[in-house]
Amino acid sequence: MINGENLVPAPIRWGMVGGGRGSQIGYIHRSAALRDGVFTLVAGAFDLDAERGRAFGTGIGVAAERCYADYQAMFAAEAQRPDGLQAVSIATPNGTHFAICKAALEAGLHVVCEKPLCFTTAEAEELRELAEAKRRVVGVTYGYAGHQLIEQAREMIAAGELGEIRIVQMQFAHGFHNEAVEAANPATKWRVDPKMAGPSYVLGDIGTHPLYLSEVMLPQLKIRRLMCSRQSFVKSRAPLEDNAFTLMEYDSGAVGCVWSCAVNAGSMHGQKIRVIGSKASLEWWDERPNQMSFEVQGKPLQVLERGMGYLHPHALADDRIGGGHPEGLFEAWSNLYVRYARAMVASDRGDTAALAALHYPGIDAGVEGVRWVEHCVRSADAGAVWVDYA
Ligand code: NAD
């Protein structure tokens, strides 16, 4: 149970690039990082517009001289201070992640980076090598993985409660972009521009979320090959897709599919993962994150509830309140930020045992997300053909 007691020896001095006024994702980063006292916000380059960024930064309590015009100025100035930044979160559009993440690592900072980490596997591998060389932590915000019932699924699958795993069915299929809403919405506009979004829209923007959940629940599962078909139902989005189906075969003989979609009219979020074994199935839906279905063949449906004593201890460790009271996305993100902070502290101490005991979406998850999108795009653009996963 997390109850406000210190989780790290001292809050990590932390800053943000992006996430400023009007941004979609900035507030949840700050809420997650600050909730449990593991980080303290001391600096930021919050906005493309320097003046607006400074006004925003001072408005949330950052000293005016530590609200910078851009990330280069921030990293340079903070490096000169005895109380300078130790970690930074990057909450800017996709096309900027690689350069900012690289600069942060070169400046010796730990990083929390938005997904997708970058555009190509080669770039992602370069960031991984740099992070390893600098012994810095890179967290990637696959935020849904912080929901406690994801840990429960991982433990039940590892214990064999589902039997042999046969099928993994995943989707993130919302309806918010069923029309060309980008004409009036800047945060959607860059998402359908290949220069800022990268080689895909929905595959990288949302499909990688349930994909990462499958990596947490089924760490042994390795993709052998995949096939992807992608469409732009709103024609102006081409070549980027607003719908995609990806079929995967795993080394174990299991199969999986991911439906990534922003034109699922009427659907709010529609992120689900169903893991089907030879004896039973588990299903989790992000719109009801405090419940998970457990269906044993031939028996009545069981609904497992967050916070209940029958869950595995790992699924209870991050609770802030008992079962019945709903926890949500903000708590899930906070859980990840606590793990990032613990990893940063362990890394600074050179404590490899502590680092190995922690699991969180880190640089490997970032690389894997980029690699998956790259393979999906290659398959789709070749006419939805099977491509080996290397
Ligand atoms: P947004 O367009 O709403 O906001 C982007 C913010 O970054 C703005 O404040 C903008 O001024 C600022 N910015 C842009 N370039 C900058 C730069 N070079 N330096 C400083 N600030 C800069 O975008 P958003 O929807 O918040 O998305 C940001 C990132 O977060 C994207 O990579 C997106 O994929 C990701 N995201 C992740 C999740 C998740 O669940 N993990 C959810 C939504 C968005």
Side-chain angles (χ1 to χ4, degrees):
M1 182 76 93
I2 295 175
N3 58 13
E5 286 179 89
N6 290 345
L7 296 169
V8 292
I12 295 165
R13 296 186 300 276
W14 172 70
M16 288 193 77
V17 184
R21 185 178 290 158
S23 76
Q24 188 185 167
I25 208 67
Y27 179 78
I28 196 169
H29 277 276
R30 286 184 290 279
S31 167
L34 303 176
R35 179 189 301 265
D36 298 301
V38 288
F39 292 92
T40 177
L41 180 62
V42 296
F46 295 103
D47 204 304
L48 255 184
D49 178 322
E51 272 319 301
R52 195 172 52 190
R54 194 178 306 277
F56 176 77
T58 53
I60 59 169
V62 178
E65 71 276 14
R66 296 179 85 176
C67 295
Y68 297 92
D70 56 53
Y71 69 88
Q72 292 97 332
M74 176 162 78
F75 296 162
E78 289 290 318
Q80 303 305 315
R81 297 179 65 110
D83 61 349
L85 282 182
Q86 297 168 295
V88 68
S89 289
I90 302 167
T92 53
N94 305 353
T96 62
H97 294 172
F98 175 73
I100 302 174
C101 190
K102 189 171 175 199
L105 290 169
E106 280 167 348
L109 299 175
H110 296 294
V111 178
V112 175
C113 187
E114 266 306 343
K115 39 56 53 180
L117 182 61
C118 50
F119 286 176
T120 67
T121 306
E123 286 174 348
E125 297 283 11
E126 187 182 333
L127 292 176
R128 176 155 60 191
E129 278 168 28
L130 185 58
E132 282 168 5
K134 294 278 188 180
R135 294 176 193 271
R136 298 294 83 181
V137 169
V138 177
V140 180
T141 36
Y142 289 117
Y144 307 95
H147 284 292
Q148 293 90 317
L149 288 173
I150 305 303
E151 296 302 308
Q152 178 68 14
R154 176 181 165 101
E155 297 299 340
M156 289 174 72
I157 293 166
E161 292 188 47
L162 275 61
E164 179 194 323
I165 301 305
R166 293 175 170 168
I167 302 166
V168 190
Q169 188 183 23
M170 293 159 268
Q171 64 172 67
F172 197 148
H174 67 74
F176 286 94
H177 300 164
N178 67 320
E179 294 175 347
V181 293
E182 51 270 31
N185 181 341
T188 311
K189 192 167 187 175
W190 69 252
R191 281 176 160 79
V192 293
D193 172 0
K195 285 197 292 299
M196 285 314 282
S200 84
Y201 167 33
V202 289
L203 287 159
D205 199 49
I206 50 181
T208 52
H209 279 294
L211 182 80
Y212 180 66
L213 295 182
S214 75
E215 292 167 20
V216 176
M217 291 182 183
L218 300 147
Q220 314 305 335
L221 223 51
K222 299 289 170 243
I223 301 170
R224 189 166 65 82
R225 59 178 194 155
L226 64 71
M227 179 172 69
C228 177
S229 169
R230 63 175 182 160
Q231 299 75 37
S232 317
F233 282 106
V234 174
K235 296 295 173 216
S236 54
R237 291 175 182 158
L240 299 192
E241 77 292 343
D242 50 25
N243 185 72
F245 292 106
T246 306
L247 201 55
M248 296 174 293
E249 292 177 354
Y250 299 100
D251 279 349
S252 65
V255 292
C257 59
V258 180
W259 178 26
S260 314
C261 181
V263 294
N264 183 18
S267 164
M268 289 304 290
H269 237 213
Q271 181 179 197
K272 290 183 180 169
I273 177 165
R274 182 175 175 84
V275 182
I276 301 165
S278 53
K279 296 194 288 198
S281 303
L282 280 173
E283 184 166 321
W284 181 85
W285 178 21
D286 76 341
E287 293 176 34
R288 297 201 182 150
N290 292 276
Q291 288 81 31
M292 181 166 66
S293 300
F294 180 43
E295 297 161 78
V296 180
Q297 179 55 34
K299 295 202 174 158
L301 164 72
Q302 291 180 58
V303 178
L304 308 180
E305 292 274 351
R306 184 203 63 76
M308 297 301 290
Y310 49 73
L311 300 178
H312 191 279
H314 289 170
L316 295 168
D318 290 340
D319 286 339
R320 291 178 180 76
I321 193 163
H325 305 276
E327 291 196 10
L329 189 63
F330 279 69
E331 287 80 11
W333 275 61
S334 303
N335 296 339
L336 293 188
Y337 262 94
V338 168
R339 293 186 220 164
Y340 297 148
R342 285 182 159 147
M344 291 171 191
V345 169
S347 164
D348 289 347
R349 273 205 317 260
D351 187 343
T352 46
L355 272 174
L358 282 164
H359 83 88
Y360 59 87
I363 188 76
D364 292 342
V367 174
E368 198 49 33
V370 173
R371 188 196 309 281
W372 183 78
V373 171
E374 204 169 64
H375 281 77
C376 288
V377 168
R378 186 147 60 84
S379 163
D381 291 358
V385 298
W386 284 102
V387 293
D388 289 336
Y389 203 74

